[in-house]
């Protein structure tokens, strides 16, 4: 079946502009996660959506970052007034998220470059 | 308490060797420990995962060893192949919550 898809695959933007990154999770997966991977670094948690519950936003680095998930499926990560330090690969993952099934499956990522 | 420490940062082995990557965690509430494999330009792919109720899990050439008392777990790759050359990440999580990732190990397997 189809995996997690993300768009765009690459995004170059000027400092100060807003960007929107999209994630389509695996069909039927109720949990959706956003992570950030800076060059040569590990993955840093950003935000987590689980069904209709309030999202866990504890990883968002500043109030310039926000995310929403519409209809329990597609999610959009928005970065306002981008800064050069926002340059990274933004990864989305989804999970069935029920007892004994914690596996998170990642999309290919969106490489964001802020010039 | 939320950190996962991974070592080594990089590893070079010859084909057929058995690279071992180690991770340590602090939070005893973690109950799920996956390993991911990442090739350049791709997203991480789930390789194998373990729960704390077992000490070892094997899937093909990949084995996780888990030491609950030491709060450590490791990945062993048997009969390593050049195609295994990638970056490997350990992670830890609780229930379906976010994963905390190690910093990654870049593995190179030479023919």
């Amino acid at each position: 079946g189809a995996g997690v898809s993300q768009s765009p695959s690459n995004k170059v933007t000027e400092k100060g502009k807003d960007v929107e990154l999209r994630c389509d999770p695996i069909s039927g997966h109720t949990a959706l996660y956003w992570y950030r991977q800076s060059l040569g670094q590990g993955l840093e948690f950003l935000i987590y959506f689980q069904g209709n519950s309030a999202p866990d936003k504890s990883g968002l680095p500043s109030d310039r970052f926000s995310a929403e998930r519409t209809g329990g499926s597609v999610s959009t990560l928005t970065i306002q007034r981008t800064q050069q330090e926002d340059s990274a690969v933004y990864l989305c993952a989804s999970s069935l998220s029920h007892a004994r099934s914690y596996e998170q499956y990642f999309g290919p990522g969106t490489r964001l470059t802020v010039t | 308490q939320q950190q996962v420490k991974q070592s080594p940062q990089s590893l070079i082995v010859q084909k057929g060797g058995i690279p071992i990557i180690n991770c340590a965690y602090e939070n005893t509430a973690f109950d799920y420990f996956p390993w991911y494999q990442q090739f350049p330009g791709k997203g991480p792919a789930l390789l194998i995962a373990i729960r704390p109720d077992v000490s070892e899990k094997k899937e093909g050439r990949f084995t996780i060893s888990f030491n609950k008392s030491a709060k450590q777990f490791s990945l062993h790759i048997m009969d390593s192949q050049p195609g295994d050359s990638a970056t490997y990440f350990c992670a830890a999580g609780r229930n379906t919550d976010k994963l905390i990732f190690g910093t990654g190990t870049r593995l190179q397997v030479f023919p």
Side-chain angles (χ1 to χ4, degrees):
Chain A
V4 177
S5 60
Q6 292 186 244
S7 61
S9 55
N10 281 284
K11 176 71 177 180
V12 180
T13 190
E14 290 181 353
K15 177 182 172 181
K17 301 282 190 184
D18 297 353
V19 295
E20 284 189 351
L21 312 179
R22 176 187 168 106
C23 172
D24 283 88
I26 294 172
S27 178
H29 281 196
T30 58
L32 187 148
Y33 312 78
W34 283 98
Y35 295 86
R36 177 169 71 174
Q37 185 173 27
S38 300
L39 186 62
Q41 300 297 310
L43 283 76
E44 172 192 10
F45 166 75
L46 296 176
I47 188 168
Y48 159 44
F49 296 90
Q50 169 60 289
N52 296 320
S53 302
D56 175 357
K57 304 180 182 180
S58 60
L60 294 178
S62 78
D63 58 8
R64 295 185 297 104
F65 288 72
S66 63
E68 62 178 20
R69 189 177 185 193
T70 53
S73 181
V74 171
S75 177
T76 303
L77 177 69
T78 301
I79 308 173
Q80 295 179 309
R81 304 180 304 281
T82 52
Q83 304 294 312
Q84 287 187 331
E85 62 262 28
D86 299 335
S87 296
V89 176
Y90 289 81
L91 291 157
C92 174
S94 70
S95 171
L96 269 173
S97 185
H98 60 72
R100 307 304 292 179
S101 180
Y102 300 166
E103 290 83 2
Q104 294 184 25
Y105 297 94
F106 282 82
T110 294
R111 180 175 296 278
L112 175 66
T113 303
V114 182
T115 61
Chain B
Q1 264 247 329
Q2 285 287 79
Q3 274 191 324
V4 175
K5 295 182 180 178
Q6 182 172 347
S7 63
Q9 199 169 20
S10 63
L11 196 48
I12 300 173
V13 300
Q14 285 209 303
K15 178 182 174 181
I18 306 176
I20 300 172
I21 305 170
N22 300 297
C23 285
Y25 64 98
E26 290 294 323
N27 189 344
T28 55
F30 288 146
D31 66 352
Y32 175 63
F33 303 89
W35 285 89
Y36 284 84
Q37 179 188 57
Q38 186 176 32
F39 293 104
K42 305 291 186 184
L46 180 63
L47 200 56
I48 186 173
I50 198 168
R51 301 296 178 92
D53 52 348
V54 295
S55 59
E56 185 176 276
K57 183 174 181 181
K58 290 183 181 180
E59 284 186 8
R61 295 184 294 107
F62 300 94
T63 299
I64 299 179
S65 297
F66 186 82
N67 185 329
K68 188 174 180 178
S69 61
K71 292 185 284 186
Q72 294 176 348
F73 58 110
S74 59
L75 177 70
H76 302 230
I77 305 176
M78 307 301 178
D79 186 28
S80 58
Q81 302 295 313
D84 297 330
S85 297
T87 300
Y88 292 81
F89 291 96
C90 64
R94 180 175 177 273
N95 295 328
T96 58
D97 204 354
K98 59 185 177 285
L99 291 173
I100 307 300
F101 282 84
T103 50
T105 296
R106 186 180 174 208
L107 172 66
Q108 293 176 274
V109 181
F110 286 97

